[in-house]
Every structure is written in C-alpha cells, then in structure tokens.
C-alpha cells in the first residue's frame, strides 16, 4: 500500500476521497444554513452547537481544513504534472467536440472557489475564531454580559448578506461550484472504480446534487439580502 | 475539391518543426484521407521536395498506425474511425485542414506526422500477457468455461488497437484508456487471474514512468477511440489496482 499515492491512479484515489469528504460536508453545511430561512431559533442553536462542541471544533474542523487544503494542493499538483506531459501544444484543437467545458476547466472553477473560500473564511471563520479563542467569549451571545441578549449567529449572518456586492460574489462562486461538481461528482466515483449498471442513475443524482446544493446556498444568500 | 492544407513538418526528432501550407486541387470527395495525402506526396516528389512522412499500414482500420490530429480532433471529425477510414466527403470544397502529429511527451515526433509510440509496447511488455506453457501441452480452450458476458466484455476491451488517439485527445496526455483496456481484457477472463495483481501494478508503474499524464475523467478518450473502448475499462483498472495494493 505504501507507494499507492505516488502513482497516477493513487493520486486519483486521493483526489476522489477528499472530494467525497467535501461533498458530504457541503450537505451538512447547506442543511444548517437552510434552517436560517425558516427558524432563527433553530439556526442559532445549531450554530452554537457546531461552534462550541469540542468534537466538532477540535476534531472535525481540523479534518475539514486538512481536506480542503489537501484537495486544492493535490489539484494543483495534478495540473502541473498534466501540463508537463504535453510540451508542444496543438496548432488547432477542438476539445469541445469530445469533452465538456466543466471537465476541462476544473482548475479554473477550483481557483474561483478557492478565492471565494478566502472571502468566506474572512467573513465567518476568522470572526468566529477571534471571538471564541482570542477574546475568550464562548457564550455565543450578542452581549456576553447579558444572558437575555440572545444568540448572535442569525443577526451576523443577515448582516453579511446586506451588501449586494457580497451577494453577487457568493452567487457567482456557487455557480462555479455547481460547474465544478457537475464534473467532479461522477469523476470521483469513476476514480474509485465505480462504473457499472448504477452509473446512469448515479449521473442523474449527481446532476441533482451538483445543481441543487449550490442553488440552495444561492437562495439563502438572496433570501437574507431581500428580506433584511 | 480545392483544399488548403496546414501540415506539421519536422525533419527529425531534434528539429523544432513548423506548420507548412499546401494547396491541393481536383481532390475527389470519394478519396480516402490517406489517398489525398498520397496525391500531395506525389506532387511533392515530382517537384523534388521531401514528401510528408506519415504512418499507415492496413488502410482498413485495424493496425492503428495512421495517427493524425486533423482539424483539432484525433483521426478527424468523424467518430469511431481511424484516418484511413476518413473520406474527403467529410470536408467541404475550399476547406482549410490542419494535420498534426499526436502531441504527448511520451510520443516524441520522429518525423513530420510520425510519432514513436513504443511507450505503449513497453507498457504491454510490463504485464499485458498471460504466462502459458505452449510446448505442446496446451489444453483445449473450451475446457475453461467462460460466461458469454465476460467473453464479450473482454473482447470489447481487446479490440483496442493501440493507436494512441486516447493519449492524443486527452488534455492530460493520459494513457489510462489504453492501459485500462489491456488490463481489462485479461482481468475479465479466468486465464488472466493468476497474474492479475502483478499485471496491473507493473503496467501502471510503466505507464507512469513513460511520462503520461493523470486521468481527470474528461471522457475525451472514449469519444475519440476508433474502437469505442469504454471508460468502464479505466474504472476496472482502478479497482484492480486498488485490489492489488490492498493484497500487498
């Protein structure tokens, strides 16, 4: 097993495994975010749990960060190696006749998602880390000295989506995420060797997942922007 | 038909090479693409010029030698054919046609449109075989029962002619469709089981050493393959490789 990840197929496995992990995380993330549309209280409770639970914070969060970083670094490594495998380019090339734009531009959509993640981390994660681990306020309250002030998470979320520019950036990024997933979802299964009688159904489910998850994220951003 | 041809000319492996323009008149739409190149070469020979070097052998879609990238597509615009099966009726009068060799670090250009595909031979030699005693003691093939489905699927994989269109059309110059087909044709049959783990490990190792890129599942190889080799073969190779690694 030792040398598997040094091989081309091993790198595909690694890329696919990190992709599966991130796709499962997206389901969890969008489910929690969606509660903000219909229940302020539920969203606040879930956010507080996720933000203060030692297992989530101490184990799952570092694994998630590792998964994201690993997926991006491995993506860049693969792209670099693949570019090196063709030193002279074709004078005329018509790849649209044999493959989709999404499949050929995973790095481009990935880089846009990476840029979005930087903004997303700045918006939420850095703020959370500062409040909880630098200021030492684990209460999750709007006013840590007033127990009746209520949780701060819902209001902070709403505040972020006031800016039309930020909502536009979020929307564009999630469109790119949808395109990334439209190829990535089934590609991950193929990399792990799953190509059989269920593949057609899986492709259908992949389309629903790839468009559905980013669409709900976009809906949440637009909902809070227009109802603020 | 009147045509403008833009053809890659390269004296030898060390030459930088360039696209050279040629004009051709009176080309019949019923000619094959290779016959059209034969006409051009005769004209070049008549003018005491170096004819265009290109590979060809059977001219009936079996040998996989006629490897050319035509107007941005491996083997030209039509599907599931080799260049010798491509006819000039697929083009229009007045067309400009780009003709280039396969582009991959593992397939260096020898001259003009001829590339060295011996990397495929070395991959095959690394494990694309079964070890059988053929010294007169070979048993009747019908003694080994094989399901129709397994036989058909193995045969589908074995139709790979090793032309290299998969590598040429892949944006990563990946050879995984070729290696997947070669691994699959044995993995599906009982005779291939004994050496299955060594086969896939050695063939993948050789593939990586040759400098082919990583598969990113764009599916271009499957579309351009003249024999319609399916992506299922890559998935099967991935499974075989994982299985072989788990066995240690």
């Amino acid at each position: 097993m030792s040398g598997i990840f040094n091989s081309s197929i091993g790198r595909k496995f690694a890329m696919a495994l990190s992709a599966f992990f991130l796709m499962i995380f997206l389901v969890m993330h969008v489910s929690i975010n969606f509660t903000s549309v219909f229940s302020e209280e539920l969203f606040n409770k879930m956010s507080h749990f996720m933000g203060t639970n030692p297992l989530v914070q101490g184990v799952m969060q570092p694994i998630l960060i590792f998964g994201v970083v690993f997926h991006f670094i491995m993506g860049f490594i693969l792209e670099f190696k693949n570019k090196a495998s063709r030193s002279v380019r074709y004078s005329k090339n018509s790849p649209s006749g044999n493959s989709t734009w999404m499949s050929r531009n995973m790095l481009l959509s990935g880089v846009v998602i990476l840029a979005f993640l930087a903004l997303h981390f700045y918006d939420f994660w850095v703020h959370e880390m500062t409040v909880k681990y630098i200021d030492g306020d684990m209460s999750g309250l709007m006013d840590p000295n007033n127990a009746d002030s209520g949780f701060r998470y819902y209001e902070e979320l709403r505040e972020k989506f006031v800016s039309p520019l930020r909502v536009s950036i979020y929307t564009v990024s999630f469109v790119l995420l949808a395109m990334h997933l439209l190829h990535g979802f089934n590609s991950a299964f193929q990399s792990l060797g799953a190509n059989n009688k269920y593949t057609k159904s899986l492709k259908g489910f992949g389309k629903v997942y790839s468009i559905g998850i980013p669409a709900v994220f976009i809906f949440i951003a637009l909902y809070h922007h227009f109802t603020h | 038909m009147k045509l403008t041809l833009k053809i890659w000319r390269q004296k030898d492996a060390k030459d930088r090479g360039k696209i050279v323009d040629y004009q051709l008149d009176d080309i019949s739409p019923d000619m094959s693409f290779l016959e059209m190149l034969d006409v051009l070469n005769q004209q070049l020979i008549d003018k005491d010029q170096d004819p265009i070097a290109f590979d060809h052998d059977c001219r009936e879609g079996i040998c996989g030698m006629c490897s050319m990238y035509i107007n941005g597509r491996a083997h030209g615009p039509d599907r599931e054919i080799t260049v010798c099966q491509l006819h000039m009726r697929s083009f229009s009068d007045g067309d400009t046609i780009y003709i280039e060799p396969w582009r991959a670090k593992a397939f260096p250009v020898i001259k003009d449109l001829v590339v060295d595909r011996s990397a495929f031979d070395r991959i095959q030699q690394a494990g694309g075989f079964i070890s059988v005693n053929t010294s007169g003691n070979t048993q009747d093939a019908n003694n080994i029962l094989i399901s129709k489905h397994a036989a058909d699927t193995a045969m589908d994989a074995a139709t790979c002619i090793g032309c290299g269109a998969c590598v040429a059309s892949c944006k990563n110059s990946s050879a995984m469709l070729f290696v997947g087909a070669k691994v699959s044709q044995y993995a599906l049959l009982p005779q291939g089981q004994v050496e299955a783990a060594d086969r896939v490990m050695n063939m993948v190792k050789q593939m990586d050493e040759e400098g082919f890129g990583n598969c990113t599942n764009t599916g271009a190889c499957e579309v351009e393959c003249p024999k319609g080799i399916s992506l299922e073969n890559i998935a099967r190779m991935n499974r075989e490789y994982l299985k072989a690694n788990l066995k240690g």
Side-chain angles (χ1 to χ4, degrees):
Chain A
M1 257 326 252
S2 58
I4 185 171
F5 293 115
N6 289 323
S7 71
S8 53
I9 294 181
R11 285 190 284 268
K12 280 165 52 124
F13 283 143
M15 200 65 182
L17 289 174
S18 59
F20 277 122
F21 175 73
L22 295 176
M23 286 192 290
I24 292 166
F25 166 73
L26 275 179
V27 173
M28 193 188 72
H29 194 341
V30 79
S31 304
I32 293 173
N33 281 22
F34 190 65
T35 60
S36 69
V37 170
F38 59 85
S39 171
E40 179 181 343
E41 191 189 351
L42 183 59
F43 176 76
N44 273 330
K45 275 185 181 170
M46 292 181 90
S47 299
H48 189 64
F49 172 79
M50 297 299 282
T52 54
N53 184 279
L55 187 67
V56 174
Q57 289 292 298
V59 180
M60 287 172 69
Q61 187 166 257
I63 293 173
L64 173 66
I65 292 170
F66 173 78
V68 170
V69 172
F70 178 85
H71 195 72
F72 277 107
I73 290 176
M74 186 56 92
F76 281 112
I77 290 171
L78 287 175
E79 187 73 12
F80 176 75
K81 283 182 172 290
N82 291 339
K83 283 264 184 277
S85 66
R86 179 169 289 145
S87 47
V88 181
R89 306 273 130 192
Y90 290 109
S91 301
K92 180 167 180 164
N93 201 10
S94 310
S96 55
N98 55 38
S99 53
T100 62
W101 186 91
M102 284 93 75
S103 71
R104 298 192 307 274
N105 291 283
M106 291 296 273
L107 188 77
L108 176 67
S109 53
V111 166
V112 173
I113 296 163
L114 182 63
F116 162 76
L117 278 180
L119 173 68
H120 192 60
F121 267 54
Y122 173 76
D123 274 354
F124 294 100
W125 191 77
V126 172
H127 171 68
E128 280 297 309
M129 292 299 111
T130 307
V131 171
K132 286 187 294 198
Y133 301 114
I134 295 174
D135 300 344
D137 173 18
M138 299 295 282
S139 68
L141 298 171
M142 271 191 271
D143 180 357
N145 299 315
N146 179 5
D148 297 328
S149 59
F151 284 126
R152 58 185 165 81
Y153 308 107
Y154 182 79
E155 284 308 318
E156 285 177 358
L157 176 81
R158 304 257 307 162
E159 203 57 43
K160 290 295 176 198
F161 293 122
V162 169
S163 159
L165 178 64
R166 185 178 270 107
V167 172
S168 303
I169 292 171
Y170 268 60
T171 304
V172 170
S173 303
F174 278 112
V175 169
L176 265 295
L177 176 65
M179 294 169 100
H180 198 78
L181 289 169
L182 275 168
H183 175 68
F185 185 92
N186 288 105
S187 180
F189 281 95
Q190 165 79 11
S191 291
L192 290 180
N195 189 328
N196 48 40
K197 61 182 176 179
Y198 304 111
T199 298
K200 203 176 167 190
S201 310
L202 200 62
K203 278 186 178 174
F205 177 74
K207 278 183 188 164
V208 173
Y209 174 93
S210 306
I211 295 168
I213 299 281
V216 175
F217 273 117
I218 291 171
F219 169 75
I220 294 165
L222 292 174
Y223 172 82
H224 288 299
H225 177 72
F226 287 111
T227 58
H228 195 273
Chain B
M1 294 171 77
K2 228 176 173 176
L3 299 167
T4 301
L5 303 175
K6 288 180 174 289
I7 303 178
W8 184 261
R9 301 302 312 262
Q10 186 173 333
K11 280 180 193 162
D12 52 41
K14 289 177 184 168
D15 184 28
R16 283 176 63 86
K18 61 178 180 182
I19 292 280
V20 177
D21 291 5
Y22 298 94
Q23 299 293 330
L24 264 187
D25 297 333
D26 296 328
I27 293 298
S28 163
D30 296 325
M31 276 182 185
S32 77
F33 198 85
L34 295 186
E35 284 168 343
M36 180 274 292
L37 286 179
D38 291 338
V39 170
L40 173 63
N41 270 349
Q42 191 56 53
Q43 290 180 8
L44 292 175
I45 291 165
D46 291 344
K47 289 184 215 166
D48 269 344
Q49 291 179 15
D50 192 24
I52 295 148
F54 63 92
D55 266 333
H56 61 100
D57 190 6
C58 71
R59 297 209 177 199
E60 52 185 12
I62 296 169
C63 72
M65 292 296 288
C66 49
S67 309
M68 296 174 205
Y69 213 72
I70 300 165
N71 274 353
R73 301 285 298 273
H75 294 139
D78 295 348
R79 287 189 69 166
E80 294 198 10
I81 58 164
T82 53
V83 176
C84 62
Q85 294 169 300
L86 177 66
H87 285 77
M88 296 315 295
R89 54 180 169 268
S90 297
F91 301 89
S92 304
D93 186 34
D95 270 3
T96 297
I97 305 174
Y98 280 79
I99 310 172
E100 298 175 75
W102 288 167
R103 296 290 188 202
K105 195 177 146 197
F107 287 165
V109 174
I110 297 170
K111 185 178 180 182
D112 296 338
L113 304 172
V114 180
V115 298
D116 179 0
R117 286 174 298 163
S118 53
F120 271 10
D121 297 336
R122 290 187 290 273
I123 294 171
Q124 191 75 353
Q125 286 158 10
F129 52 81
I130 56 168
S131 303
V132 179
N133 183 349
T134 55
S135 58
N137 299 319
T138 319
Q139 66 168 318
D140 191 295
N142 290 319
N143 287 345
I144 304 169
L145 296 179
I146 300 168
S147 75
K148 175 83 167 72
H149 177 71
D152 286 351
T153 316
M155 189 60 205
D156 286 346
T159 55
C160 168
I161 53 178
C163 64
C166 46
V167 175
S169 55
C170 174
K171 80 179 190 71
N172 311 316
S173 308
S174 169
M176 286 201 186
L177 193 67
F178 167 77
V179 183
K182 298 301 169 194
V183 166
S184 289
Q185 76 181 62
Y186 298 109
L188 287 158
L189 299 174
Q191 295 94 328
Q193 300 307 311
V194 181
E195 294 157 307
D198 286 345
R199 175 180 305 112
V200 70
M201 295 291 280
N202 292 337
M203 290 181 83
V204 169
K205 183 170 176 276
Q206 188 64 39
M207 173 181 76
D208 290 346
E209 284 175 7
E210 295 291 348
F212 292 104
N214 300 274
C215 173
T216 51
N217 304 315
T218 67
C221 53
E222 184 183 55
V223 173
E224 301 294 4
C225 176
K227 298 298 165 188
I229 303 291
S230 157
L231 290 178
E232 280 178 41
N233 293 292
I234 298 182
R236 187 176 296 105
M237 173 177 66
N238 294 345
R239 291 198 298 274
E240 290 287 316
Y241 189 73
L242 185 59
K243 210 161 65 180
N245 271 282
L246 289 171
K247 274 184 184 173

